[in-house]
Amino acid sequence: MSLSFIYPAALWLLLIVLPLLALALLAPRRLPRGRFWASLILRALLFVCLVGALAGAQLVRRVDRVTAVFLIDSSDSVSPEERTRAEEFIRAALQTMRDGDQAAIVAFGDNALVERAPSPERSLRRIQSVPNTSRTDIGEAINLGLALLPADTQKRLVLLSDGGENAGDVRRAIELARARGVPIEVVALGEATNDLVQLSDLRAPATVRQGQRLALTAIVEAGAVAPATLRLREGTRVVAERQVQLQPGRQQFDFSVEATADGLTRYSLEIIADGDTRRQNNQAAALIDVQGPPRVLIVEGRAGEAANLAAALRAAQMQPTLIAPPELPTSLAGLASYDAVVLANVAAAHLPAAALELLPAYVRDLGRGLVMLGGDRSYGVGGYGRTPLEVALPVNMEVRDRERRPDVAIVFVIDKSGSMAACHCNDPAGNSGMQSGGVVKVDIAKEAVLQASALLQSRDKVGVVAFDDAPHWALEVGQTPSLNEIQDAIAPIAPNGQTNVRGGLLAAKAALEQTDARVKHVILLTDGWSSSGNATDIAEELRAEGITLSTVAAGGGSAPYLAELAEIGGGRYYPVVNMEDVPQIFVEETIKAVGSYLIEEPFVPTLVGDSPILHGLTDQNWPSLYGYNGTELKDSAQLILRTPQGDPLLAQWQYGLGRAVAWTSDLKGQWAADLVRWERFGTLAAQLVGWTIPQQRDNALNAQARVDGTQAIISAEARDTEGRPLVDAQLNATLIGPDGRAQPVPLHQVGPGQFQAVMPSPPEGAYLVQLSAQHDGTTLGQQLVGLVVPYSPEYRQQQRNPALLEAIAQETGGSLLQTPATVFMPSQSDVRRAREIAFPLLLLAALLLPIDIAVRRLSLQRRDLAAARAWVAQRRARRWAQPLHEPLLGDLQRAKARASSRWRGSGTPAEAATGAQPSAAPEPSRTPLTSAGSETARPATPRRPAPVVEHPTPEETRPQPMPQATQSAPAPAEDDALARLRAAKARARRR
């Protein structure tokens, strides 16, 4: 046992004792020598206790208690039999625990879970924790086990696993355990034995021409001789099936099929064998880029709008595919099947939200093309402002020049009265109407406000006022916030109360009069049956102030004067039967209010830049166009054609690995009626889209991705036009995971012109790898390769890794356990436990203080002690020498005398009750006591009943003198007994 301190710097305070001792020794002494030194020692000891408490004194002693944390592998690579053996090992080890030992249990797979915190309990219940069993992360289990170990015991981890780590980093966990001095004991488990066959890999080329024969090689590992079936699919279509006879060990099977698909195609292989109970590792897949004519995906806002473009692309040997907006793929793998995507007059709200998020990555990371065409549902009026897709385009949706695009202030006046609580839905026959169980009309109005607000620029102003019997501002008029902020502001609007249309319009009028916007507009949504009367006078006032008013009648039963309001207010009237049309009406009304988003006037484009898009077209007489969408060119974009007002008509730029083009007019018969009839229209359309399609030089880049064991390998080879390796080429790779997230992958040169990257144990799923090669600042080419991880490495055969288990035990000072009895045996490690004694020291100081005061203030001599001893002895002798019966007889005699005295003083009971004075009675003669202490005989007196004293007077309770003994004859025995009873009763009452 030793002493330590938490704050050893406080021990410097002990130096104060020296000057205090010196002062006490040099000062005149007022106490005797013995008391002086005793007081000095007590004071010094008290000060030492206080300083020790302040310094955090601790008693440190060695402990041999053991805390063991069992880490049990619950992954799928461990068979149920081996997991049961592990539990039996833990159960047997717990029975060997000594008093003070503790045990904890952690179950782990891909993650680690605490089954039991450190506890002295010796029993083991069935393990209930269920981690993710598709992988094995030993490192996380060790880290969690280290966190459970207390600091004041001997520490030990017991790992029960097959060692098949395929996730995490066990090396770092080993270093942490070694740094903390915690040994890891290991119990080796076996792997599952019912895995008959495993499909290890499907080898395929990364790229193949459409129509060519495709060579595929399947790698199969079998544990015994067995028949099996191999089934190959192209996408979901079975293209080959073969019956094979498996042999023990590793073997391969070759397939040759024709590549009939186009684009990035998934080929999957499945093996079926009788008796194989683990099916997770019976499949493999590969993504192959089947190169055919360029594939272009055209998303058209309305059917037939992109027919002219599709015909021109087919004439240019491309393969266009026309789809509706909801059919746009929402995964990168689906988009990667196309070389370019064209958005032909499509509103952003009609596209899937996931597709809007993925299209920028499709261009930036995959190196594909994007083309946006203009129209009345495209660019800003299509709601693309502040969307993820805007960052991928070479133009901004906002026009910041107030002369070209004046700022706008719009107030949405929404009816929230009780009538707006009606629900809109379609009945089974397909007829729409207001019924229960559908969407509340006021909620449809909220969605309409959101969609219309998306068309506004940040410098525009917007407000939302909801009214029932009074107006309520949900969003004060101000610069347009984000859509999320608008949504949060209007979310609390709920239908209730009466309808006061006048109140809502007056609130909108007052707010718009305070703004300086050049265009002011009010959109009113109501059923019109106002309890406040007609509001045509307000419409006239709005028109006089330059504020236009449009009305949307919600429901077929709306008030007829709403049309008159719109006419007086200079706006438009929208009678709505189907409430689902309200959002689109709000959008169209906002577009018309904004106005300059769409510029509709005839013009001839002006050439301002050179581009391959206009190859062979610059010397032609261009036909006139009749409108376009107003946009602004981004700083790094290239302007090719512009309008007479200086707005972009054709702009292009490089966005990441891909390219994007903005054509702000349309390619249909509205604004481009003359253009689509032009003899060079086909050339323009083909070059417009063709410029965005990725190009690759022959033999410049050859890449491949494959799965090898528990790791994925990406390899690439860069060569010049003559086939020589480029040793100084720069290769960049981007890995796009199944969740659509892109991350750069560093490639290291492993040979002349050969580059490689290794990814340890990637999660299962389909990956895309986009590679690009540069040499001397020139782009050599790009290539997209696919990688499929069909199943977790947990399900591969021969996952057991005893070498790793041995390394874990050896590097941490542990061992390979054979018997459970050794788990809780104390080790020779010097583990100590500290117990703080600051409070006991303070308690000791508190006890020493009164002792010190007593030593200094109290003066005790020897004669005082002798007198005290004599007094104690005298009291003891007196108590033992007095007869036992004397106190009792004396008490009885005194009680008798007091009773007689009270009798004489109080009279008869009747007299005491009436308050009369007692009658005089002759006092009996008294004779002195004889030498023997007895009384002389006296005449017998008549016996009287004992008086009852309910409330004794102060005189009665005052001690009475003892009556003097007389020489009368002794009283009869009855008298004596009665007197004693009376005396006892009187004493009881006095108490």
PDB file of all heavy atoms in Angstrom, residues 13-36:
ATOM      1  N   LEU A  13       2.064  23.598   0.417  1.00  0.00           N
ATOM      2  CA  LEU A  13       1.510  24.323   1.561  1.00  0.00           C
ATOM      3  C   LEU A  13       2.075  23.819   2.885  1.00  0.00           C
ATOM      4  O   LEU A  13       1.995  24.522   3.906  1.00  0.00           O
ATOM      5  CB  LEU A  13      -0.012  24.196   1.559  1.00  0.00           C
ATOM      6  CG  LEU A  13      -0.748  24.849   0.382  1.00  0.00           C
ATOM      7  CD1 LEU A  13      -2.231  24.524   0.456  1.00  0.00           C
ATOM      8  CD2 LEU A  13      -0.531  26.354   0.404  1.00  0.00           C
ATOM      9  N   LEU A  14       2.635  22.596   2.898  1.00  0.00           N
ATOM     10  CA  LEU A  14       3.220  22.071   4.134  1.00  0.00           C
ATOM     11  C   LEU A  14       4.408  22.899   4.593  1.00  0.00           C
ATOM     12  O   LEU A  14       4.788  22.854   5.774  1.00  0.00           O
ATOM     13  CB  LEU A  14       3.641  20.617   3.925  1.00  0.00           C
ATOM     14  CG  LEU A  14       2.501  19.606   3.732  1.00  0.00           C
ATOM     15  CD1 LEU A  14       3.072  18.226   3.423  1.00  0.00           C
ATOM     16  CD2 LEU A  14       1.624  19.544   4.976  1.00  0.00           C
ATOM     17  N   LEU A  15       5.025  23.637   3.698  1.00  0.00           N
ATOM     18  CA  LEU A  15       6.149  24.485   4.098  1.00  0.00           C
ATOM     19  C   LEU A  15       5.720  25.572   5.064  1.00  0.00           C
ATOM     20  O   LEU A  15       6.568  26.135   5.773  1.00  0.00           O
ATOM     21  CB  LEU A  15       6.790  25.101   2.844  1.00  0.00           C
ATOM     22  CG  LEU A  15       7.420  24.102   1.855  1.00  0.00           C
ATOM     23  CD1 LEU A  15       7.974  24.836   0.647  1.00  0.00           C
ATOM     24  CD2 LEU A  15       8.514  23.299   2.541  1.00  0.00           C
ATOM     25  N   ILE A  16       4.416  25.872   5.088  1.00  0.00           N
ATOM     26  CA  ILE A  16       3.939  26.891   6.027  1.00  0.00           C
ATOM     27  C   ILE A  16       4.113  26.422   7.465  1.00  0.00           C
ATOM     28  O   ILE A  16       4.200  27.228   8.397  1.00  0.00           O
ATOM     29  CB  ILE A  16       2.465  27.217   5.729  1.00  0.00           C
ATOM     30  CG1 ILE A  16       2.321  27.711   4.288  1.00  0.00           C
ATOM     31  CG2 ILE A  16       1.907  28.251   6.683  1.00  0.00           C
ATOM     32  CD1 ILE A  16       0.904  27.992   3.877  1.00  0.00           C
ATOM     33  N   VAL A  17       4.199  25.094   7.692  1.00  0.00           N
ATOM     34  CA  VAL A  17       4.356  24.561   9.047  1.00  0.00           C
ATOM     35  C   VAL A  17       5.665  25.038   9.684  1.00  0.00           C
ATOM     36  O   VAL A  17       5.730  25.312  10.888  1.00  0.00           O
ATOM     37  CB  VAL A  17       4.279  23.024   9.005  1.00  0.00           C
ATOM     38  CG1 VAL A  17       4.545  22.435  10.381  1.00  0.00           C
ATOM     39  CG2 VAL A  17       2.926  22.584   8.507  1.00  0.00           C
ATOM     40  N   LEU A  18       6.714  25.171   8.891  1.00  0.00           N
ATOM     41  CA  LEU A  18       8.025  25.535   9.449  1.00  0.00           C
ATOM     42  C   LEU A  18       8.012  26.916  10.091  1.00  0.00           C
ATOM     43  O   LEU A  18       8.424  27.059  11.259  1.00  0.00           O
ATOM     44  CB  LEU A  18       9.083  25.444   8.358  1.00  0.00           C
ATOM     45  CG  LEU A  18       9.264  24.047   7.729  1.00  0.00           C
ATOM     46  CD1 LEU A  18      10.303  24.082   6.622  1.00  0.00           C
ATOM     47  CD2 LEU A  18       9.671  23.056   8.797  1.00  0.00           C
ATOM     48  N   PRO A  19       7.561  27.976   9.410  1.00  0.00           N
ATOM     49  CA  PRO A  19       7.540  29.273  10.112  1.00  0.00           C
ATOM     50  C   PRO A  19       6.564  29.291  11.282  1.00  0.00           C
ATOM     51  O   PRO A  19       6.819  29.986  12.274  1.00  0.00           O
ATOM     52  CB  PRO A  19       7.115  30.253   9.003  1.00  0.00           C
ATOM     53  CG  PRO A  19       6.480  29.437   7.959  1.00  0.00           C
ATOM     54  CD  PRO A  19       7.180  28.117   8.000  1.00  0.00           C
ATOM     55  N   LEU A  20       5.493  28.511  11.204  1.00  0.00           N
ATOM     56  CA  LEU A  20       4.571  28.471  12.332  1.00  0.00           C
ATOM     57  C   LEU A  20       5.224  27.817  13.541  1.00  0.00           C
ATOM     58  O   LEU A  20       5.057  28.272  14.685  1.00  0.00           O
ATOM     59  CB  LEU A  20       3.301  27.719  11.937  1.00  0.00           C
ATOM     60  CG  LEU A  20       2.411  28.404  10.885  1.00  0.00           C
ATOM     61  CD1 LEU A  20       1.199  27.530  10.573  1.00  0.00           C
ATOM     62  CD2 LEU A  20       1.964  29.772  11.369  1.00  0.00           C
ATOM     63  N   LEU A  21       5.974  26.733  13.301  1.00  0.00           N
ATOM     64  CA  LEU A  21       6.706  26.091  14.401  1.00  0.00           C
ATOM     65  C   LEU A  21       7.747  27.029  14.993  1.00  0.00           C
ATOM     66  O   LEU A  21       7.910  27.121  16.223  1.00  0.00           O
ATOM     67  CB  LEU A  21       7.354  24.805  13.910  1.00  0.00           C
ATOM     68  CG  LEU A  21       6.416  23.644  13.582  1.00  0.00           C
ATOM     69  CD1 LEU A  21       7.205  22.473  13.016  1.00  0.00           C
ATOM     70  CD2 LEU A  21       5.662  23.211  14.831  1.00  0.00           C
ATOM     71  N   ALA A  22       8.460  27.729  14.091  1.00  0.00           N
ATOM     72  CA  ALA A  22       9.479  28.660  14.587  1.00  0.00           C
ATOM     73  C   ALA A  22       8.845  29.764  15.423  1.00  0.00           C
ATOM     74  O   ALA A  22       9.365  30.153  16.480  1.00  0.00           O
ATOM     75  CB  ALA A  22      10.251  29.251  13.411  1.00  0.00           C
ATOM     76  N   LEU A  23       7.707  30.284  14.981  1.00  0.00           N
ATOM     77  CA  LEU A  23       7.033  31.337  15.735  1.00  0.00           C
ATOM     78  C   LEU A  23       6.562  30.835  17.085  1.00  0.00           C
ATOM     79  O   LEU A  23       6.685  31.545  18.105  1.00  0.00           O
ATOM     80  CB  LEU A  23       5.843  31.842  14.915  1.00  0.00           C
ATOM     81  CG  LEU A  23       5.037  32.991  15.533  1.00  0.00           C
ATOM     82  CD1 LEU A  23       5.912  34.229  15.690  1.00  0.00           C
ATOM     83  CD2 LEU A  23       3.834  33.318  14.678  1.00  0.00           C
ATOM     84  N   ALA A  24       6.063  29.603  17.136  1.00  0.00           N
ATOM     85  CA  ALA A  24       5.606  29.057  18.410  1.00  0.00           C
ATOM     86  C   ALA A  24       6.759  28.819  19.369  1.00  0.00           C
ATOM     87  O   ALA A  24       6.626  29.008  20.577  1.00  0.00           O
ATOM     88  CB  ALA A  24       4.840  27.763  18.161  1.00  0.00           C
ATOM     89  N   LEU A  25       7.907  28.415  18.863  1.00  0.00           N
ATOM     90  CA  LEU A  25       9.062  28.142  19.731  1.00  0.00           C
ATOM     91  C   LEU A  25       9.713  29.424  20.227  1.00  0.00           C
ATOM     92  O   LEU A  25      10.240  29.474  21.349  1.00  0.00           O
ATOM     93  CB  LEU A  25      10.076  27.293  18.971  1.00  0.00           C
ATOM     94  CG  LEU A  25       9.630  25.856  18.636  1.00  0.00           C
ATOM     95  CD1 LEU A  25      10.675  25.170  17.761  1.00  0.00           C
ATOM     96  CD2 LEU A  25       9.414  25.051  19.907  1.00  0.00           C
ATOM     97  N   LEU A  26       9.697  30.471  19.417  1.00  0.00           N
ATOM     98  CA  LEU A  26      10.357  31.711  19.808  1.00  0.00           C
ATOM     99  C   LEU A  26       9.475  32.613  20.659  1.00  0.00           C
ATOM    100  O   LEU A  26       9.984  33.459  21.399  1.00  0.00           O
ATOM    101  CB  LEU A  26      10.801  32.469  18.546  1.00  0.00           C
ATOM    102  CG  LEU A  26      11.860  31.757  17.688  1.00  0.00           C
ATOM    103  CD1 LEU A  26      12.169  32.574  16.447  1.00  0.00           C
ATOM    104  CD2 LEU A  26      13.136  31.507  18.496  1.00  0.00           C
ATOM    105  N   ALA A  27       8.183  32.478  20.574  1.00  0.00           N
ATOM    106  CA  ALA A  27       7.272  33.327  21.348  1.00  0.00           C
ATOM    107  C   ALA A  27       7.281  32.904  22.813  1.00  0.00           C
ATOM    108  O   ALA A  27       7.592  31.755  23.145  1.00  0.00           O
ATOM    109  CB  ALA A  27       5.871  33.236  20.764  1.00  0.00           C
ATOM    110  N   PRO A  28       6.937  33.829  23.742  1.00  0.00           N
ATOM    111  CA  PRO A  28       6.863  33.468  25.177  1.00  0.00           C
ATOM    112  C   PRO A  28       5.825  32.372  25.396  1.00  0.00           C
ATOM    113  O   PRO A  28       4.755  32.394  24.807  1.00  0.00           O
ATOM    114  CB  PRO A  28       6.426  34.786  25.841  1.00  0.00           C
ATOM    115  CG  PRO A  28       6.808  35.852  24.887  1.00  0.00           C
ATOM    116  CD  PRO A  28       6.685  35.267  23.527  1.00  0.00           C
ATOM    117  N   ARG A  29       6.189  31.464  26.283  1.00  0.00           N
ATOM    118  CA  ARG A  29       5.305  30.332  26.532  1.00  0.00           C
ATOM    119  C   ARG A  29       4.403  30.649  27.712  1.00  0.00           C
ATOM    120  O   ARG A  29       4.870  31.051  28.771  1.00  0.00           O
ATOM    121  CB  ARG A  29       6.111  29.066  26.821  1.00  0.00           C
ATOM    122  CG  ARG A  29       7.011  28.670  25.675  1.00  0.00           C
ATOM    123  CD  ARG A  29       7.752  27.383  26.007  1.00  0.00           C
ATOM    124  NE  ARG A  29       8.689  27.033  24.938  1.00  0.00           N
ATOM    125  CZ  ARG A  29       9.503  25.971  25.003  1.00  0.00           C
ATOM    126  NH1 ARG A  29       9.486  25.185  26.067  1.00  0.00           N
ATOM    127  NH2 ARG A  29      10.327  25.720  23.993  1.00  0.00           N
ATOM    128  N   ARG A  30       3.099  30.433  27.537  1.00  0.00           N
ATOM    129  CA  ARG A  30       2.123  30.634  28.597  1.00  0.00           C
ATOM    130  C   ARG A  30       1.600  29.323  29.150  1.00  0.00           C
ATOM    131  O   ARG A  30       0.803  29.327  30.071  1.00  0.00           O
ATOM    132  CB  ARG A  30       0.953  31.445  28.063  1.00  0.00           C
ATOM    133  CG  ARG A  30       1.360  32.834  27.581  1.00  0.00           C
ATOM    134  CD  ARG A  30       0.149  33.583  27.065  1.00  0.00           C
ATOM    135  NE  ARG A  30       0.540  34.908  26.563  1.00  0.00           N
ATOM    136  CZ  ARG A  30      -0.316  35.795  26.056  1.00  0.00           C
ATOM    137  NH1 ARG A  30      -1.615  35.488  25.966  1.00  0.00           N
ATOM    138  NH2 ARG A  30       0.110  36.971  25.642  1.00  0.00           N
ATOM    139  N   LEU A  31       2.005  28.242  28.535  1.00  0.00           N
ATOM    140  CA  LEU A  31       1.547  26.927  28.968  1.00  0.00           C
ATOM    141  C   LEU A  31       2.713  26.148  29.543  1.00  0.00           C
ATOM    142  O   LEU A  31       3.885  26.369  29.170  1.00  0.00           O
ATOM    143  CB  LEU A  31       0.940  26.153  27.793  1.00  0.00           C
ATOM    144  CG  LEU A  31      -0.312  26.746  27.149  1.00  0.00           C
ATOM    145  CD1 LEU A  31      -0.701  25.912  25.943  1.00  0.00           C
ATOM    146  CD2 LEU A  31      -1.447  26.794  28.143  1.00  0.00           C
ATOM    147  N   PRO A  32       2.370  25.215  30.388  1.00  0.00           N
ATOM    148  CA  PRO A  32       3.451  24.337  30.882  1.00  0.00           C
ATOM    149  C   PRO A  32       4.089  23.590  29.722  1.00  0.00           C
ATOM    150  O   PRO A  32       3.514  23.477  28.648  1.00  0.00           O
ATOM    151  CB  PRO A  32       2.725  23.408  31.849  1.00  0.00           C
ATOM    152  CG  PRO A  32       1.483  24.137  32.239  1.00  0.00           C
ATOM    153  CD  PRO A  32       1.095  24.976  31.090  1.00  0.00           C
ATOM    154  N   ARG A  33       5.217  23.025  29.973  1.00  0.00           N
ATOM    155  CA  ARG A  33       5.998  22.396  28.911  1.00  0.00           C
ATOM    156  C   ARG A  33       5.241  21.248  28.259  1.00  0.00           C
ATOM    157  O   ARG A  33       5.184  21.154  27.027  1.00  0.00           O
ATOM    158  CB  ARG A  33       7.316  21.889  29.509  1.00  0.00           C
ATOM    159  CG  ARG A  33       8.241  21.210  28.502  1.00  0.00           C
ATOM    160  CD  ARG A  33       9.493  20.700  29.186  1.00  0.00           C
ATOM    161  NE  ARG A  33      10.386  20.097  28.227  1.00  0.00           N
ATOM    162  CZ  ARG A  33      11.299  20.762  27.518  1.00  0.00           C
ATOM    163  NH1 ARG A  33      11.375  22.067  27.659  1.00  0.00           N
ATOM    164  NH2 ARG A  33      12.088  20.144  26.674  1.00  0.00           N
ATOM    165  N   GLY A  34       4.636  20.382  29.045  1.00  0.00           N
ATOM    166  CA  GLY A  34       3.925  19.241  28.474  1.00  0.00           C
ATOM    167  C   GLY A  34       2.743  19.674  27.619  1.00  0.00           C
ATOM    168  O   GLY A  34       2.534  19.187  26.507  1.00  0.00           O
ATOM    169  N   ARG A  35       1.907  20.602  28.173  1.00  0.00           N
ATOM    170  CA  ARG A  35       0.770  21.057  27.413  1.00  0.00           C
ATOM    171  C   ARG A  35       1.199  21.833  26.172  1.00  0.00           C
ATOM    172  O   ARG A  35       0.532  21.761  25.112  1.00  0.00           O
ATOM    173  CB  ARG A  35      -0.118  21.941  28.298  1.00  0.00           C
ATOM    174  CG  ARG A  35      -0.791  21.157  29.423  1.00  0.00           C
ATOM    175  CD  ARG A  35      -1.480  22.075  30.406  1.00  0.00           C
ATOM    176  NE  ARG A  35      -2.482  22.884  29.724  1.00  0.00           N
ATOM    177  CZ  ARG A  35      -3.047  23.969  30.268  1.00  0.00           C
ATOM    178  NH1 ARG A  35      -2.682  24.368  31.473  1.00  0.00           N
ATOM    179  NH2 ARG A  35      -3.967  24.642  29.584  1.00  0.00           N
ATOM    180  N   PHE A  36       2.286  22.553  26.235  1.00  0.00           N
ATOM    181  CA  PHE A  36       2.769  23.299  25.071  1.00  0.00           C
ATOM    182  C   PHE A  36       3.127  22.364  23.918  1.00  0.00           C
ATOM    183  O   PHE A  36       2.682  22.554  22.777  1.00  0.00           O
ATOM    184  CB  PHE A  36       3.974  24.152  25.474  1.00  0.00           C
ATOM    185  CG  PHE A  36       4.688  24.766  24.297  1.00  0.00           C
ATOM    186  CD1 PHE A  36       4.181  25.894  23.675  1.00  0.00           C
ATOM    187  CD2 PHE A  36       5.867  24.201  23.800  1.00  0.00           C
ATOM    188  CE1 PHE A  36       4.831  26.460  22.600  1.00  0.00           C
ATOM    189  CE2 PHE A  36       6.507  24.761  22.716  1.00  0.00           C
ATOM    190  CZ  PHE A  36       5.990  25.897  22.107  1.00  0.00           C
TER     191      PHE A  36
END
